[in-house]
Amino acid sequence: MAFNESDQTMKTEKPMAQALTSNPADSDDYVDTTQGGDLTTRDINVMALRSLLLQASFNYERMQAGGWLYTLIPALRKLHKNPGDLANSMKMHMEFINVHPFDVTFLSGLVLAMERSKEKIPTIRAVKIALMGPLGGIGDALFWLTLLPICAGIGASLALQNSIFGPIVFLLMFNTVHFTLRFGLAHYGYRAGTTAITMLKTHTKNISHAASIVGMTVIGALIASYVHLSTPLVMKAGEAKVVLQTDVLDKLMPNLLPLCFTLLVYWLMKRGFSPVKLIGITVVFGVVGKLVGFL
């Protein structure tokens, strides 16, 4: 389950190549090249809020393009007073894009800064395409592999103690970080402009690697805490009795059986087994194991 940065790149490699070889815009330059008016804090907040609907029109041809343009439209209308420039910009932003939905606002803010400066359309497109992969990798490592397991583990721990605050704490913790980053990255991306690109590319691998380590550590702790598997088997050697679980397995390594079962499920998942099948296998394994006295 280790995070692999190349996976995100491979997923979008073909569509990105197609995007680079085709230009949906009518012109590479805007007619009105005067710098657009500065976007206010409210404008950036509206953009970040609209980004919540990034995947509302998700499809396999352009993926998040519809939601991406919906995110930018109010700001683009403010920046481009020339109708032709606005149409040209909207055509360009309706091409393929696939980025993590939680850190997309960094790219949105960055693009709006370039739109305000009336950069050439191929330059804006190149920045979008270049940052899709890194932002996807960072988002996966930060949110899915780190933040989600930590918040879910804390919430599940409270829920197992019959506390109604379990799901409430989970939602509050996760969304506090989520919305703080969503709105914070929007303002940071807009203020930083193109100067943030070099920094992001330089530290992408380090950020992803560090987040992956933390995420895997948390997942390992969750396996030990929430996967319960033991055996009552007793081995006899003459009059001596050896309890397999406490006298052998626990001394070799605590929670050895939960670890082995988790690795088995992971192996089956890599072999193409669906989650539904894995749940069925787990139920059958538990029932049969209890009946034969193994569990």
Side-chain angles (χ1 to χ4, degrees), residues 34-48:
T34 58
Q35 182 169 285
D38 192 19
L39 298 177
T40 65
T41 299
R42 181 182 181 278
D43 293 328
I44 301 300
N45 286 338
V46 168
M47 178 269 287

Side-chain angles (χ1 to χ4, degrees), residues 131 141 144 152 182 202-203 228 236 280 283:
L131 292 186
W144 302 149
R182 183 180 289 271
T202 302
H203 297 289
H228 300 291
K236 296 181 179 180
V283 172

Side-chain angles (χ1 to χ4, degrees), residues 167-189:
I168 296 174
V169 168
F170 163 68
L171 291 173
L172 285 177
M173 289 182 61
F174 184 84
N175 285 298
T176 296
V177 178
H178 163 213
F179 280 100
T180 299
L181 286 177
R182 183 180 289 271
F183 283 84
L185 287 174
H187 289 276
Y188 177 72

Side-chain angles (χ1 to χ4, degrees), residues 9-249:
T9 305
M10 292 175 64
K11 290 179 182 177
T12 57
E13 185 177 9
K14 185 175 180 180
M16 284 171 58
Q18 293 174 345
L20 284 170
T21 56
S22 62
N23 188 354
D26 296 329
S27 173
D28 288 344
D29 299 289
Y30 290 122
V31 175
D32 182 5
T33 56
T34 58
Q35 182 169 285
D38 192 19
L39 298 177
T40 65
T41 299
R42 181 182 181 278
D43 293 328
I44 301 300
N45 286 338
V46 168
M47 178 269 287
L49 190 63
R50 290 169 73 97
S51 71
L52 291 169
L53 297 177
L54 177 70
Q55 304 199 102
S57 61
F58 186 93
N59 61 81
Y60 288 103
E61 180 184 359
R62 302 185 182 187
M63 293 206 170
Q64 301 163 337
W68 167 260
L69 180 57
Y70 175 79
T71 299
L72 300 179
I73 279 179
L76 292 178
R77 285 175 174 163
K78 185 174 183 179
L79 295 174
H80 296 295
K81 300 301 182 183
N82 184 293
D85 287 346
L86 178 60
N88 213 20
S89 177
M90 291 173 66
K91 285 182 180 179
M92 181 264 291
H93 286 301
M94 268 303 292
E95 68 180 349
F96 171 91
I97 184 170
N98 183 31
V99 66
H100 198 281
F102 287 2
D103 60 13
V104 65
T105 51
F106 173 80
L107 182 57
S108 303
L110 182 61
V111 165
L112 288 179
M114 299 180 71
E115 291 280 5
R116 178 174 180 259
S117 301
K118 304 298 175 68
E119 297 285 348
K120 290 182 176 293
I121 287 180
T123 302
I124 299 174
R125 293 177 67 243
V127 169
K128 283 174 51 183
I129 294 169
L131 292 186
M132 279 193 288
L135 286 175
I138 291 175
D140 286 343
L142 180 61
F143 290 100
W144 302 149
L145 294 180
T146 306
L147 179 62
L148 184 61
I150 291 174
C151 296
I154 295 173
S157 178
L158 290 173
L160 288 173
Q161 299 174 28
N162 298 321
S163 172
I164 193 175
F165 291 103
I168 296 174
V169 168
F170 163 68
L171 291 173
L172 285 177
M173 289 182 61
F174 184 84
N175 285 298
T176 296
V177 178
H178 163 213
F179 280 100
T180 299
L181 286 177
R182 183 180 289 271
F183 283 84
L185 287 174
H187 289 276
Y188 177 72
Y190 179 69
R191 290 195 308 269
T194 55
T195 58
I197 298 175
T198 303
M199 181 275 296
L200 182 66
K201 288 186 174 180
T202 302
H203 297 289
T204 293
K205 290 184 178 179
N206 294 333
I207 295 173
S208 299
H209 183 62
S212 297
I213 292 175
V214 175
M216 292 300 101
T217 302
V218 171
I219 291 174
L222 290 177
I223 293 171
S225 301
Y226 298 112
V227 180
H228 300 291
L229 186 63
S230 61
T231 178
L233 292 179
V234 177
M235 296 183 296
K236 296 181 179 180
E239 294 184 358
K241 294 182 180 180
V242 177
V243 180
L244 182 61
Q245 182 66 50
T246 57
D247 295 338
V248 179
L249 297 179

